[in-house]
Amino acid sequence: MTKSEFYSRLRLEVNLIKEQYRDDNSAFLIWFLKNIYCLDTQTSVDSVCDGSRDKGIDGVWVDNQTEEIYIFQSEFSPYDNKDCGDKKIREFKGVSSWFVDENSVAKLSASLVNLELNNLLLNLKISEKISRGFIVKYVFVTNKIFDQNAKEFLETADIESHDIDLIFSKYTYFVEADVVNSSKILDLSNSSTIEYNSVSETPVLILTIPVRELLKLDGIQDHTLFSRNVRLWSGKTRVNNALAETIKNIFEHNKFFLYHNGISIICSNFEYDLAKSQLKIEGYQVINGCQSIISFYQNREMLTDNIVVLTKIIKVDPHSDLIQDITKNANNQNSISLKDLKSNDRVQIGLQREFLEFFGGKVFYNIKKGEQISEYDEVINIDLAGQLITAFYREEPHKTHLKTNFYSDKYEELFSRKMNCKKIYLAFLCYSVILDGLEKIDNLPVRGYGLARFSILRIIRVILEDDTLGKKIIDNPDDYLMGDNLEKLKKAMTKMFNLIALDLNSFISEYITEEEFFDYKNLFKNKEFVDKLKTSVLTSHKKTIVRHPEDKFVNIYNSFCK
């Protein structure tokens, strides 16, 4: 990707975020948190508090794993290639006085600070965490280019800074891909080699390869190099941060081989020329080492020839079942998330097969990144499935942001034997109707907030449950998800959502007039609030169908059968 292409992509994506979340600065910071810090969308949105009386603080995020608190300020320019001076950075440095200790945080909360920031400080327990020894870090982010004044000031300031040049150098993105790349010749003059004769007659080459040579491989920035990996780039984890620090310390480079576990690459063919100290490799994929290679890529200016890693290269047919076994066992030796493991378990693989069979190859159940999805009409990923089940079947929309729970203590309950592709798709259909009708929701923050959509999904479920036909569909949706019946169901759901939206708008409007600050981010995580919303909308809907029986779901559906 060229820098010009990156500028265009960045502006497009920021504008899309801006449509849902306020101004340019907020949208840009949300984009940064998602793409550079690799936070999920919900966390990125919840971390931003830009607004009037924000004391120069545009966002706050806590990494509980590393015990670090991040304070952000962002500056977004509507034009490309603009310079950023030191004025705003100097002003931002003054923010640190509010986070010296718990007393200073208390003073910040007591000052004329905006309520969104104040709630963020309270909900994240910033004062308590500072008293417990959490480190506070300050991050300035801009899509401008730091001028000389900014660079000189930043050399003396304890501020993590990102201008457009640094952001571009660290930017990686996902595209769909098969194992398609050009052959590469790697220089191994600074390498040692072991040829391993496998009893399985699978050709294997084990080498120490300079990291600079590995960065010649295609598909690092767009992640296609890692499409067979069970785990892709995880962002600012403790391990990745430590790896980056080691790369930045030149005195550690000659010891790097001792610290690193190594990288595994499968390929369709390799040719090793000992005389020329060259390796030609074709049809390659990294199956273990994604975190390392992207860390190398993001810190490539710091690399030297002294950084070498143990690399295992395995020649295997691209369609061989052996690839799955190699991938699984290579990654089982590392710490991987429960989600990574669950994506390969029999339940998820079984659901993926169910979707393909029942919907005739039109709907794909995406259980991990890197899978080919472009050929399907609709795609439901594993995270969304967990959220749909949590909101629609368990009626806990306020917990849909707790995705890690989907793969730990709640996994057996969510993906039980009773759950199948038809039930998941029914919830997905209702959710899609909500997404298609978002313009019916008057309040812009609510319209753009993910948890709000799952609260509406839960309301749809409750209304269906109270309807004779609706309950029948929930219990056994099979007959309503194909052909003409599916089209009728979509139309009926759309009409019902339009009715619900009126009652939802009324509730939100009344709530806002009664409250000093509409803290929608926290309200939709609050069981009491979402229950109150459900009760209000359901009560209004029941009154409506008494006056207008034609608005009962069963009657709406039947109206499309004539």
Side-chain angles (χ1 to χ4, degrees):
M1 176 180 286
T2 66
K3 194 169 183 180
S4 176
E5 290 170 336
F6 171 67
Y7 270 125
S8 298
R9 185 179 182 125
L10 169 64
R11 200 165 299 286
L12 174 64
E13 292 179 357
V14 168
N15 283 335
L16 289 174
I17 297 172
K18 181 182 174 183
E19 291 176 5
Q20 301 180 42
Y21 307 107
R22 299 171 299 189
D23 59 19
D24 285 337
N25 278 347
S26 296
F28 174 56
L29 183 52
I30 291 169
W31 180 94
F32 175 86
L33 292 174
K34 287 176 60 179
N35 288 276
I36 305 302
Y37 268 47
C38 295
L39 306 185
D40 62 54
T41 299
Q42 196 70 56
T43 303
S44 300
V45 172
D46 290 349
S47 299
V48 175
C49 57
D50 190 18
S52 60
R53 297 182 288 118
D54 62 14
K55 302 293 186 181
I57 301 167
D58 295 340
V60 183
W61 173 62
V62 176
D63 187 339
N64 288 302
Q65 185 183 37
T66 61
E67 297 190 346
E68 293 171 331
I69 298 167
Y70 289 82
I71 310 298
F72 296 91
Q73 185 176 90
S74 63
E75 182 183 24
F76 186 80
S77 170
Y79 307 103
D80 296 338
N81 297 309
K82 292 295 180 181
D83 286 343
C84 174
D86 62 351
K87 182 181 177 183
K88 288 205 171 185
I89 306 173
R90 288 179 181 275
E91 292 172 353
F92 180 53
K93 183 175 175 57
V95 166
S96 62
S97 63
W98 294 111
F99 299 94
V100 175
D101 53 32
E102 51 191 313
N103 291 328
S104 58
V105 177
K107 290 179 181 178
L108 173 61
S109 295
S111 67
L112 294 175
V113 67
N114 78 31
L115 289 173
E116 188 173 13
L117 172 57
N118 197 36
N119 285 340
L120 193 55
L121 296 174
L122 291 173
N123 292 327
L124 293 176
K125 300 179 180 178
I126 298 300
S127 179
E128 175 190 328
K129 287 171 180 174
I130 287 178
S131 70
R132 285 165 46 196
F134 276 53
I135 303 300
V136 182
K137 295 194 170 185
Y138 302 90
V139 186
F140 185 86
V141 184
T142 182
N143 69 328
K144 296 181 178 181
I145 303 168
F146 290 139
D147 67 11
Q148 192 59 35
N149 291 330
K151 291 177 181 178
E152 289 176 357
F153 177 73
L154 286 168
E155 287 178 359
T156 63
D158 189 16
I159 295 175
E160 179 184 324
S161 55
H162 298 256
D163 69 352
I164 194 66
D165 288 339
L166 182 59
I167 291 172
F168 175 60
S169 73
K170 291 191 172 185
Y171 179 66
T172 61
Y173 57 100
F174 295 101
V175 299
E176 305 161 43
D178 289 318
V179 185
V180 177
N181 40 47
S182 60
S183 62
K184 292 293 178 183
I185 296 178
L186 307 184
D187 181 6
L188 304 183
S189 55
N190 189 29
S191 302
S192 301
T193 307
I194 303 171
E195 289 197 60
Y196 173 66
N197 296 315
S198 168
V199 293
S200 65
E201 298 184 353
T202 300
V204 178
L205 196 61
I206 302 173
L207 318 96
T208 56
I209 298 184
V211 166
R212 283 177 169 172
E213 292 300 304
L214 289 174
L215 295 189
K216 292 179 180 179
L217 300 178
D218 293 331
I220 297 176
Q221 189 181 34
D222 64 10
H223 290 211
T224 53
L225 180 61
F226 317 106
S227 64
R228 289 191 184 272
N229 223 27
V230 298
R231 177 182 57 185
L232 297 182
W233 177 236
S234 301
K236 288 180 71 65
T237 64
R238 185 191 299 271
V239 173
N240 289 341
N241 289 343
L243 181 58
E245 289 303 314
T246 304
I247 294 170
K248 292 173 185 176
N249 185 352
I250 193 170
F251 299 107
E252 294 287 296
H253 286 193
N254 61 348
K255 304 174 189 173
F256 193 88
F257 176 81
L258 303 176
Y259 304 154
H260 197 269
N261 289 336
I263 288 168
S264 297
I265 301 175
I266 58 169
C267 65
S268 59
N269 190 43
F270 67 76
E271 297 174 10
Y272 177 52
D273 190 327
L274 180 61
K276 294 182 179 179
S277 295
Q278 288 183 341
L279 171 70
K280 182 178 180 181
I281 184 170
E282 300 173 338
Y284 46 85
Q285 282 276 292
V286 169
I287 59 168
N288 186 19
C290 170
Q291 310 301 313
S292 298
I293 289 183
I294 292 184
S295 292
F296 298 147
Y297 175 80
Q298 292 188 341
N299 297 279
R300 55 194 178 278
E301 300 300 326
M302 309 277 187
L303 299 177
T304 65
D305 288 336
N306 288 331
I307 300 185
V308 297
V309 294
L310 185 69
T311 306
K312 180 167 57 180
I313 298 175
I314 308 163
K315 180 181 176 181
V316 60
D317 187 296
H319 306 292
S320 170
D321 292 337
L322 182 60
I323 292 177
Q324 184 174 358
D325 294 335
I326 294 171
T327 303
K328 177 182 176 182
N329 288 289
N331 285 280
N332 275 346
Q333 297 168 33
N334 298 319
S335 173
I336 60 177
S337 73
L338 287 170
K339 175 185 172 182
D340 296 327
L341 292 173
K342 296 299 185 186
S343 70
N344 281 338
D345 81 356
R346 60 179 181 79
V347 175
Q348 298 304 324
I349 293 172
L351 280 171
Q352 189 174 66
R353 189 186 308 113
E354 268 189 48
F355 269 99
L356 291 173
E357 291 175 355
F358 184 82
F359 294 100
K362 293 183 178 181
V363 182
F364 184 68
Y365 183 55
N366 178 207
I367 57 180
K368 69 172 185 172
K369 288 179 178 177
E371 292 178 319
Q372 288 288 328
I373 61 175
S374 59
E375 62 189 271
Y376 301 97
D377 296 342
E378 295 176 302
V379 177
I380 304 171
N381 72 46
I382 185 174
D383 279 343
L384 178 59
Q387 291 176 306
L388 295 173
I389 296 168
T390 300
F392 194 80
Y393 292 102
R394 297 186 59 80
E395 294 191 43
E396 295 178 323
H398 56 291
K399 294 183 178 180
T400 50
H401 62 297
L402 304 174
K403 296 179 185 177
T404 53
N405 290 348
F406 300 166
Y407 313 105
S408 55
D409 55 326
K410 296 293 183 183
Y411 185 75
E412 300 292 339
E413 298 174 22
L414 294 178
F415 296 99
S416 68
R417 292 177 62 187
K418 295 181 179 180
M419 190 52 57
N420 56 46
C421 73
K422 283 84 77 175
K423 287 182 177 290
I424 295 174
Y425 186 79
L426 174 63
F428 174 73
L429 185 149
C430 297
Y431 182 73
S432 299
V433 166
I434 295 168
L435 295 184
D436 291 341
L438 284 176
E439 73 282 353
K440 300 289 183 181
I441 300 173
D442 293 339
N443 185 277
L444 287 179
V446 172
R447 181 189 298 178
Y449 197 55
L451 263 68
R453 300 165 189 176
F454 291 111
S455 286
I456 300 170
L457 180 63
R458 185 257 195 117
I459 292 170
I460 290 177
R461 153 68 193 238
V462 173
I463 291 175
L464 289 176
E465 188 74 32
D466 201 42
D467 181 273
T468 53
L469 177 62
K471 189 175 189 315
K472 180 182 176 183
I473 292 174
I474 289 174
D475 292 341
N476 188 14
D478 301 32
D479 294 338
Y480 297 88
L481 301 181
M482 303 297 290
D484 291 341
N485 284 348
L486 176 60
E487 292 306 312
K488 293 171 190 173
L489 184 58
K490 287 179 180 178
K491 291 177 181 178
M493 290 291 187
T494 299
K495 186 169 182 179
M496 189 172 74
F497 168 73
N498 292 340
L499 294 171
I500 293 171
L502 297 173
D503 297 326
L504 174 74
N505 289 333
S506 177
F507 175 86
I508 296 297
S509 179
E510 290 178 14
Y511 190 92
I512 290 174
T513 59
E514 295 171 0
E515 299 292 327
E516 180 183 2
F517 172 60
F518 180 49
D519 186 13
Y520 67 96
K521 294 179 183 177
N522 286 309
L523 286 172
F524 283 100
K525 296 174 185 172
N526 183 288
K527 184 180 187 302
E528 183 180 348
F529 174 80
V530 297
D531 284 349
K532 185 177 180 181
L533 171 63
K534 178 208 72 172
T535 301
S536 175
V537 174
L538 183 59
T539 301
S540 296
H541 183 72
K542 286 182 176 180
K543 291 178 181 178
T544 297
I545 62 178
V546 168
R547 296 190 301 269
H548 302 282
E550 67 275 14
D551 287 338
K552 282 185 177 181
F553 177 74
V554 61
N555 293 331
I556 293 173
Y557 182 87
N558 288 335
S559 70
F560 293 109
C561 296
K562 298 176 181 177

